[in-house]
Each structure stands twice: as structure tokens, then as C-alpha cells.
Amino acid sequence: MRLILLGPPGAGKGTQAQRLVRKYGIVQLSTGDMLRAAVKAGTPVGRRVKDIMETGKLCPDDLVVDIVADRIEQPDAGKGFILDGFPRTTAQAQALDRMLAERGLKLDAVIELNVDPAVLCDRIASRNAQAKARGEALRSDDDPEILKRRLEAYWNQTVPLIDYYRSRRVLKTVDGMAPIETVANAVEDALDGAR
Ligand code: AMP
């Protein structure tokens, strides 16, 4: 199974992806995690994106597309994957279409986690407070000012993908404001209908 989880920062993509990993035995491919690992390791890619990520802007399409193209070639992605945080622009979505077509693969579904923008910042603030209470380090881009820019990037550059995938009849919209369990059930129902 090959899926995309679409939604703004704080929509719960990571949480839902982890559940799908356990249920379907497929891998979660988070471009944010891959880029953060590259920054931490100080690779050439990491050095190129460090400052961009710290400001909450999107990294260049070609760079992110190359990372995903390499990653889906790995043996563990053979059974399927959940793309979390990719694609984020129309150019990335088009590149993904080409990438999949070249390999004779297709997307089973694009799940949009629909959330109310007004409550997102509160939700992220409470997620951060919980992480802090557990003694976990916060992501530097969860700072409120940077988060604002990450949300702007989502509304300006990623929201057009909702129509992109709707017109290709693969979009499933789920209410991301419901409790985690309810969202997970709705995602599963959407996927049952997609297969
Ligand atoms: P995330 O963990 O998905 O919120 O991503 C954190 C940051 O990584 C984003 O704010 C971007 O700077 C960068 N990033 C992650 N995925 C992408 C992508 N598909 N395209 C461009 N930049 C990305």
C-alpha cells in the first residue's frame, strides 16, 4: 500500500502514520525526519537545508524529490510506504507521479487530515508542553514565530495539493480534530474503501 498523509503541522500525521506502520507493516517516510537527520549528521544536504529549516520555509523541491526517490528504492519500502510531509508543493506532487509511473507503481490513497487552523497553534502548544514534561527536547522550529511561517507555507504551497489529488480521485478527507482513536478508525475506513 502506498499512501500520502496530507495536513498542516500539528494535524497528527506522525501519530496516524505510526499506527498505519504497525497495522500494515509498511514504512513511514517522513521527509522532515530525513532532513533533520541530514542536518544532525552534517551531510552536504544537511548543510544546505539547515538555515532554511530553521526559518520554517520549505526546502528546494529538487533536493527533497531526490531524497524521496532514493528512499523508495530501499528494500524496506518494497511492501509500501506512507509519505508523511511529502509532497508539499505541486512540483513535488508532479515529480512523485513521474517517480511512481517510472516504477509501475500507483498511489492507493491520499488522506487529508482536515483541521481547524484556529486551534492548531493551541494544539501544538499543548503537544510541546507534554513533550517538555516528559523531558524531551523540543524541535527548534516549534517556536511560535517559526511555526507561524510553517503554517503559512502549508496554506500557500501545500493546500493546492488537496484539489490536485481530489481531481485524480484519490483524496480521502478525514476530520483530524476528533480524538486520535476516532481519527485512526476514520483513516482505516477510508483505506478500506480505497483498496
Ligand atoms: P516536518 O517535520 O514535516 O514539519 O518538516 C520540517 C521542515 O523540513 C519543514 O518546515 C521544511 O523546512 C522541511 N521539509 C520537510 N519536508 C519537506 C518537503 N516535502 N518539501 C520542502 N521542505 C520540507
Side-chain angles (χ1 to χ4, degrees), residues 7-10 13 30-36 49-61 63-65 68 84-89 92 127 139 141-142 146 149-150 153 157-158:
K13 298 188 295 295
S30 156
T31 42
D33 285 351
M34 292 184 239
L35 292 165
R36 276 185 289 279
V49 298
K50 185 171 185 290
D51 291 346
I52 304 174
M53 291 179 76
E54 279 174 1
T55 58
K57 293 197 194 128
L58 292 186
C59 301
D61 286 332
L63 179 149
V64 184
V65 165
V68 173
D84 162 9
F86 178 93
R88 260 174 153 104
T89 64
Q92 291 180 17
R127 187 176 76 178
R139 275 170 51 174
D141 61 356
D142 273 343
I146 299 171
R149 259 185 255 140
R150 289 167 60 208
Q157 290 168 273
T158 309

Side-chain angles (χ1 to χ4, degrees), residues 8-9 17 21 36 55 90 107 110 122 147 159 165 169 178 181-182 186:
V21 164
R36 276 185 289 279
T55 58
T90 305
L107 278 177
V110 178
D122 288 348
L147 183 61
V159 161
Y165 287 117
R169 301 182 186 285
E181 225 27 73
T182 313

